[in-house]
Amino acid sequence: MAAISQSFRCFDEVARRGSIRKASDSLHLTPAAVHQQILNLEEQVGTPLFERLPRGMQLTNAGEIMVAAVRRSQRDFDSALAHIEDLRALRRGHVSLAVSHSSAEQLVPDVIEIAMQRYPGVTYSVRSGSGENILKWVATGEADIGFCLRRKPPPGVEEVRGFPQQLGLVTPPDHALTQLGRAPRLRDCLDHPLILMTPDTELRAMVDQIDHREHRKARPLVETSSVAMVRRLVRGGTGIGFLIPENVAEDVAAGALAWQGLADAAAWSADCLYQRSGQTTTVAMGMFLEFLEVQLTAIGKRFEGAGSPLAAARFAV
């Protein structure tokens, strides 16, 4: 155990053993050296910390107060050293997350796999649900961090970081809407069969924010709470959909789908991290969030040129 200072170390040992001689034997110091450290500390405090009795050293009232403070400081010091060592090696730790269903499908597993290659001792628990449930789980302590599209957090929960996201049109690669020669708007899509998320989802809320400005309304052929179903039906040619880049990154990379960022002003939102107000981020969580940011940045760069300035957007911290 590393000591905060030699004076504290000597003081604590004398208090434990009630004898300068016994303390000096334990510390492998001379009795004179131990006594001098006690005198130095008493001079600094301005009052005796021990009563010198024939049978040994006994703490004064001031000494009792001081020894409690010294031991508390030593525990804090040891804890800080342990956290620093964990930061250096990250041999262990746990990450507790609540994320959207779509993030749990692709993005979060990718980040966990990358993180585990470097830090295999860190464990994870991941719950998925709606944005409302995600923030509820954070508020009740069932998850340390929530990750979902931006929404107003409940009391006791705060947004700590946002990653810009743009809603985009998802079509088969050979669809007519890929030939517009410009970024599409929602109004360009209304004559086509629409595969939309259900009204209780943040992705649908983004569509509805654009939709309320149009004279014609988006009438879905299919409504679903599953991002995977939207992708499947669009791939099969049933209709077109509206998703954000993290939802379709793998399909776009494989050439199975095309994504174009919508030009409508309301097409912008953010993936946000939420935590309980005043909560300190653990070393393991900090590591995971760094890998998450790297992955989101990589996705943004891959979608650059698809009508999306995601790669150039600065992440708000």
Side-chain angles (χ1 to χ4, degrees), residues 132-159:
E132 181 180 358
N133 282 334
I134 288 167
L135 297 189
K136 180 184 72 174
W137 292 330
V138 172
T140 59
E142 296 173 78
D144 293 330
I145 289 286
F147 181 68
C148 60
L149 281 171
R150 176 171 283 145
R151 59 190 296 138
K152 184 178 180 180
V157 175
E158 60 184 359
E159 178 186 322

Short mmCIF file of all heavy atoms in Angstrom, two decimals, residues 132-159:
data_model
loop_
_atom_site.label_atom_id
_atom_site.label_comp_id
_atom_site.label_asym_id
_atom_site.label_seq_id
_atom_site.Cartn_x
_atom_site.Cartn_y
_atom_site.Cartn_z
N GLU A 132 -38.53 6.31 -24.57
CA GLU A 132 -39.15 6.57 -23.26
C GLU A 132 -38.65 5.57 -22.22
O GLU A 132 -38.30 5.95 -21.10
CB GLU A 132 -40.67 6.49 -23.39
CG GLU A 132 -41.41 6.78 -22.09
CD GLU A 132 -42.91 6.71 -22.25
OE1 GLU A 132 -43.37 6.47 -23.39
OE2 GLU A 132 -43.63 6.88 -21.25
N ASN A 133 -38.62 4.29 -22.58
CA ASN A 133 -38.15 3.27 -21.64
C ASN A 133 -36.66 3.42 -21.35
O ASN A 133 -36.23 3.21 -20.21
CB ASN A 133 -38.44 1.88 -22.19
CG ASN A 133 -39.89 1.47 -22.00
OD1 ASN A 133 -40.57 1.95 -21.10
ND2 ASN A 133 -40.38 0.62 -22.88
N ILE A 134 -35.89 3.77 -22.36
CA ILE A 134 -34.45 3.94 -22.17
C ILE A 134 -34.18 4.98 -21.10
O ILE A 134 -33.39 4.76 -20.17
CB ILE A 134 -33.79 4.33 -23.51
CG1 ILE A 134 -33.76 3.12 -24.46
CG2 ILE A 134 -32.36 4.85 -23.28
CD1 ILE A 134 -33.40 3.48 -25.88
N LEU A 135 -34.83 6.12 -21.20
CA LEU A 135 -34.59 7.19 -20.22
C LEU A 135 -35.16 6.82 -18.85
O LEU A 135 -34.62 7.23 -17.82
CB LEU A 135 -35.17 8.51 -20.72
CG LEU A 135 -34.56 9.04 -22.01
CD1 LEU A 135 -35.05 10.45 -22.30
CD2 LEU A 135 -33.04 9.03 -21.96
N LYS A 136 -36.23 6.05 -18.82
CA LYS A 136 -36.77 5.58 -17.54
C LYS A 136 -35.76 4.66 -16.85
O LYS A 136 -35.54 4.76 -15.64
CB LYS A 136 -38.09 4.85 -17.76
CG LYS A 136 -38.74 4.34 -16.46
CD LYS A 136 -40.01 3.55 -16.75
CE LYS A 136 -39.68 2.21 -17.37
NZ LYS A 136 -40.88 1.35 -17.53
N TRP A 137 -35.15 3.76 -17.61
CA TRP A 137 -34.16 2.84 -17.03
C TRP A 137 -32.94 3.60 -16.51
O TRP A 137 -32.37 3.23 -15.49
CB TRP A 137 -33.74 1.81 -18.08
CG TRP A 137 -34.82 0.86 -18.44
CD1 TRP A 137 -35.85 0.42 -17.65
CD2 TRP A 137 -35.02 0.21 -19.71
NE1 TRP A 137 -36.66 -0.45 -18.32
CE2 TRP A 137 -36.18 -0.61 -19.59
CE3 TRP A 137 -34.33 0.22 -20.91
CZ2 TRP A 137 -36.65 -1.38 -20.65
CZ3 TRP A 137 -34.80 -0.54 -21.97
CH2 TRP A 137 -35.94 -1.33 -21.84
N VAL A 138 -32.55 4.66 -17.20
CA VAL A 138 -31.45 5.48 -16.70
C VAL A 138 -31.85 6.17 -15.40
O VAL A 138 -31.11 6.19 -14.42
CB VAL A 138 -31.02 6.52 -17.76
CG1 VAL A 138 -30.00 7.50 -17.18
CG2 VAL A 138 -30.43 5.82 -18.99
N ALA A 139 -33.06 6.72 -15.36
CA ALA A 139 -33.54 7.46 -14.18
C ALA A 139 -33.61 6.55 -12.96
O ALA A 139 -33.32 6.99 -11.83
CB ALA A 139 -34.90 8.08 -14.47
N THR A 140 -34.00 5.29 -13.15
CA THR A 140 -34.16 4.37 -12.02
C THR A 140 -32.87 3.62 -11.67
O THR A 140 -32.87 2.81 -10.74
CB THR A 140 -35.26 3.33 -12.33
OG1 THR A 140 -34.91 2.59 -13.51
CG2 THR A 140 -36.60 4.02 -12.52
N GLY A 141 -31.80 3.87 -12.44
CA GLY A 141 -30.53 3.21 -12.15
C GLY A 141 -30.41 1.81 -12.73
O GLY A 141 -29.44 1.11 -12.46
N GLU A 142 -31.37 1.39 -13.56
CA GLU A 142 -31.28 0.08 -14.19
C GLU A 142 -30.29 0.06 -15.34
O GLU A 142 -29.91 -1.00 -15.82
CB GLU A 142 -32.67 -0.35 -14.67
CG GLU A 142 -33.68 -0.55 -13.54
CD GLU A 142 -35.08 -0.80 -14.07
OE1 GLU A 142 -35.34 -1.94 -14.48
OE2 GLU A 142 -35.90 0.13 -14.04
N ALA A 143 -29.88 1.23 -15.80
CA ALA A 143 -28.82 1.37 -16.80
C ALA A 143 -28.02 2.61 -16.46
O ALA A 143 -28.58 3.60 -15.96
CB ALA A 143 -29.41 1.48 -18.20
N ASP A 144 -26.71 2.55 -16.68
CA ASP A 144 -25.86 3.71 -16.38
C ASP A 144 -25.90 4.75 -17.49
O ASP A 144 -25.80 5.95 -17.23
CB ASP A 144 -24.41 3.25 -16.17
CG ASP A 144 -24.26 2.41 -14.91
OD1 ASP A 144 -25.03 2.64 -13.96
OD2 ASP A 144 -23.39 1.52 -14.88
N ILE A 145 -26.02 4.28 -18.74
CA ILE A 145 -26.02 5.17 -19.89
C ILE A 145 -27.17 4.78 -20.81
O ILE A 145 -27.42 3.60 -21.05
CB ILE A 145 -24.69 5.07 -20.67
CG1 ILE A 145 -23.55 5.70 -19.87
CG2 ILE A 145 -24.79 5.74 -22.04
CD1 ILE A 145 -23.56 7.22 -19.82
N GLY A 146 -27.88 5.78 -21.33
CA GLY A 146 -28.90 5.56 -22.34
C GLY A 146 -28.45 6.15 -23.66
O GLY A 146 -27.78 7.19 -23.70
N PHE A 147 -28.80 5.48 -24.77
CA PHE A 147 -28.40 5.93 -26.09
C PHE A 147 -29.60 5.82 -27.01
O PHE A 147 -30.09 4.72 -27.28
CB PHE A 147 -27.24 5.08 -26.60
CG PHE A 147 -26.73 5.48 -27.97
CD1 PHE A 147 -26.07 6.68 -28.15
CD2 PHE A 147 -26.90 4.64 -29.06
CE1 PHE A 147 -25.60 7.06 -29.39
CE2 PHE A 147 -26.43 5.00 -30.31
CZ PHE A 147 -25.77 6.21 -30.49
N CYS A 148 -30.10 6.97 -27.49
CA CYS A 148 -31.27 6.97 -28.37
C CYS A 148 -31.33 8.31 -29.08
O CYS A 148 -30.56 9.23 -28.77
CB CYS A 148 -32.55 6.72 -27.58
SG CYS A 148 -32.91 7.94 -26.29
N LEU A 149 -32.25 8.41 -30.03
CA LEU A 149 -32.46 9.70 -30.69
C LEU A 149 -32.93 10.72 -29.67
O LEU A 149 -33.63 10.40 -28.70
CB LEU A 149 -33.47 9.56 -31.82
CG LEU A 149 -32.92 8.97 -33.13
CD1 LEU A 149 -34.04 8.68 -34.09
CD2 LEU A 149 -31.90 9.92 -33.77
N ARG A 150 -32.55 11.97 -29.90
CA ARG A 150 -32.77 13.04 -28.91
C ARG A 150 -34.26 13.17 -28.56
O ARG A 150 -35.12 13.17 -29.41
CB ARG A 150 -32.23 14.36 -29.45
CG ARG A 150 -32.51 15.56 -28.54
CD ARG A 150 -31.78 16.78 -29.02
NE ARG A 150 -30.37 16.72 -28.67
CZ ARG A 150 -29.40 17.20 -29.43
NH1 ARG A 150 -29.67 17.75 -30.60
NH2 ARG A 150 -28.14 17.12 -29.02
N ARG A 151 -34.48 13.27 -27.26
CA ARG A 151 -35.80 13.56 -26.72
C ARG A 151 -35.61 14.25 -25.38
O ARG A 151 -34.52 14.22 -24.82
CB ARG A 151 -36.64 12.28 -26.57
CG ARG A 151 -36.02 11.25 -25.66
CD ARG A 151 -36.78 9.93 -25.74
NE ARG A 151 -38.14 10.09 -25.24
CZ ARG A 151 -39.20 9.55 -25.82
NH1 ARG A 151 -39.08 8.84 -26.93
NH2 ARG A 151 -40.41 9.71 -25.31
N LYS A 152 -36.64 14.89 -24.86
CA LYS A 152 -36.52 15.61 -23.60
C LYS A 152 -36.35 14.62 -22.46
O LYS A 152 -37.19 13.74 -22.25
CB LYS A 152 -37.75 16.48 -23.36
CG LYS A 152 -37.65 17.33 -22.09
CD LYS A 152 -38.88 18.21 -21.93
CE LYS A 152 -38.76 19.05 -20.66
NZ LYS A 152 -39.95 19.94 -20.47
N PRO A 153 -35.25 14.73 -21.69
CA PRO A 153 -35.05 13.77 -20.59
C PRO A 153 -35.95 14.08 -19.40
O PRO A 153 -36.32 15.23 -19.18
CB PRO A 153 -33.57 13.96 -20.23
CG PRO A 153 -33.27 15.37 -20.62
CD PRO A 153 -34.13 15.66 -21.84
N PRO A 154 -36.27 13.06 -18.60
CA PRO A 154 -37.08 13.28 -17.39
C PRO A 154 -36.23 13.92 -16.30
O PRO A 154 -34.99 13.98 -16.41
CB PRO A 154 -37.50 11.87 -17.01
CG PRO A 154 -36.40 10.99 -17.51
CD PRO A 154 -35.93 11.63 -18.79
N PRO A 155 -36.83 14.40 -15.22
CA PRO A 155 -36.06 14.97 -14.11
C PRO A 155 -35.03 13.96 -13.58
O PRO A 155 -35.31 12.76 -13.46
CB PRO A 155 -37.13 15.26 -13.05
CG PRO A 155 -38.40 15.44 -13.83
CD PRO A 155 -38.30 14.50 -14.98
N GLY A 156 -33.82 14.44 -13.29
CA GLY A 156 -32.77 13.59 -12.78
C GLY A 156 -31.93 12.94 -13.84
O GLY A 156 -30.97 12.21 -13.52
N VAL A 157 -32.26 13.16 -15.11
CA VAL A 157 -31.49 12.61 -16.23
C VAL A 157 -31.03 13.76 -17.11
O VAL A 157 -31.78 14.71 -17.34
CB VAL A 157 -32.33 11.61 -17.06
CG1 VAL A 157 -31.56 11.13 -18.29
CG2 VAL A 157 -32.75 10.43 -16.19
N GLU A 158 -29.79 13.69 -17.59
CA GLU A 158 -29.26 14.77 -18.42
C GLU A 158 -28.61 14.21 -19.68
O GLU A 158 -28.08 13.11 -19.69
CB GLU A 158 -28.23 15.59 -17.64
CG GLU A 158 -27.03 14.80 -17.17
CD GLU A 158 -26.08 15.63 -16.31
OE1 GLU A 158 -26.36 16.82 -16.12
OE2 GLU A 158 -25.05 15.08 -15.86
N GLU A 159 -28.69 14.99 -20.74
CA GLU A 159 -27.98 14.66 -21.97
C GLU A 159 -26.52 15.07 -21.81
O GLU A 159 -26.22 16.20 -21.43
CB GLU A 159 -28.61 15.40 -23.16
CG GLU A 159 -27.89 15.15 -24.48
CD GLU A 159 -28.44 15.99 -25.61
OE1 GLU A 159 -29.68 16.19 -25.67
OE2 GLU A 159 -27.64 16.47 -26.43
#
